[in-house]
Amino acid sequence: AQSVTQLGSHVSVSEGALVLLRCNYSSSVPPYLFWYVQYPNQGLQLLLKYTSAATLVKGINGFEAEFKKSETSFHLTKPSAHMRDAAEYFCAVSETGGFKTIFGAGTRLFVKA
Amino acid sequence: SQTIHQWPATLVQPVGSPLSLECTVEGTSNPNLYWYRQAAGRGLQLLFYSVGIGQISSEVPQNLSASRPQDRQFILSSKKLLLSDSGFYLCAWSEGGTDTQYFGPGTRLTVL
């Protein structure tokens, strides 16, 4: 069975600092991995998606994530945080042939001025 | 392009009252459809998914039900709401099970 663990329910960084949001997954077959962002009182939007084409995936708004099979990780990074990055971020996994995507519990990112 | 609509945006209902939330998708055919609930401080809980008209899979036993009367319409219902049904309800669609899910704007439900 597939699962996702996001380390840290809250992360706080200063504006301009590195953003690192951690995600570990479990999957019995090669997974598809996703990062979504949710702004207050809105639905989720896709940031980026890994589908085995390349281990380093670049997404919108300057975010990227690296798939590391040996560590079963898919951490999200951004070199320099902006105030507008303050939101909740969800890591998700789905399996080939499946009908469902499993979401992590989410990490709320706070950006301090 | 594809668009997903949810209504109402907010809803306040008394305990024991019925519920009907609607979700429609435009610009695609035979999408996979999903209902999620997001309670305060918790992640997304998958409630139902559907891979076709009349085909509903339930993930969590509860007093909610879902129906898909048309290809691009997904309805979440309850006959009698509980306090624990309060939360943010999200509808989503995808072209396939492993594909990107596209979310609607959500419905904030408060049961008093």
Side-chain angles (χ1 to χ4, degrees):
Chain A
Q2 48 190 328
S3 66
V4 174
T5 302
Q6 290 185 240
L7 302 175
S9 59
H10 297 83
V11 170
S12 182
V13 300
S14 298
E15 194 172 20
L18 171 71
V19 176
L20 171 61
L21 304 182
R22 301 178 186 271
C23 172
N24 288 91
Y25 70 92
S26 173
S27 176
S28 57
V29 298
Y32 289 76
L33 295 162
F34 308 80
W35 275 101
Y36 289 83
V37 61
Q38 184 182 30
Y39 298 100
N41 294 311
Q42 295 185 27
L44 279 67
Q45 304 171 33
L46 180 71
L47 272 180
L48 50 82
K49 174 182 178 180
Y50 167 77
T51 58
S52 77
T55 56
L56 183 62
V57 182
K58 294 188 182 298
I60 61 172
N61 301 338
F63 284 93
E64 63 182 34
E66 185 173 8
F67 173 70
K68 291 187 177 180
K69 184 178 179 180
S70 61
E71 299 177 9
T72 61
S73 68
F74 191 58
H75 301 332
L76 181 71
T77 61
K78 181 174 180 177
S80 177
H82 292 272
M83 296 298 290
R84 62 176 177 265
D85 296 327
E88 189 152 21
Y89 292 80
F90 292 91
C91 183
V93 62
S94 63
E95 292 182 345
T96 305
F99 294 106
K100 299 184 294 183
T101 297
I102 304 300
F103 288 82
T107 297
R108 185 166 295 278
L109 176 66
F110 297 92
V111 182
K112 299 174 292 185
Chain B
S1 64
Q2 299 87 3
T3 311
I4 179 168
H5 303 279
Q6 275 187 255
W7 64 90
T10 60
L11 191 59
V12 180
Q13 292 285 92
V15 169
S17 63
L19 173 73
S20 181
L21 302 182
E22 189 163 344
C23 171
T24 59
V25 181
E26 297 176 355
T28 187
S29 296
N30 196 31
N32 288 358
L33 295 171
Y34 307 84
W35 277 112
Y36 292 90
R37 177 169 58 204
Q38 190 175 22
R42 305 172 100 172
L44 271 69
Q45 180 185 33
L46 178 62
L47 301 175
F48 302 94
Y49 68 94
S50 171
V51 299
I53 295 175
Q55 299 178 60
I56 309 294
S57 295
S58 175
E59 287 296 295
V60 182
Q62 62 223 322
N63 69 323
L64 299 172
S65 62
S67 61
R68 185 170 177 174
Q70 299 180 45
D71 181 43
R72 288 166 291 182
Q73 183 184 29
F74 205 24
I75 297 172
L76 182 69
S77 304
S78 174
K79 293 181 179 178
K80 287 186 177 182
L81 284 168
L82 306 173
L83 286 173
S84 58
D85 291 323
S86 293
F88 193 49
Y89 287 81
L90 290 162
C91 180
W93 73 273
S94 70
E95 290 188 346
T98 54
D99 286 348
T100 301
Q101 293 193 11
Y102 299 93
F103 286 80
T107 294
R108 175 77 57 192
L109 172 66
T110 303
V111 182
L112 301 175

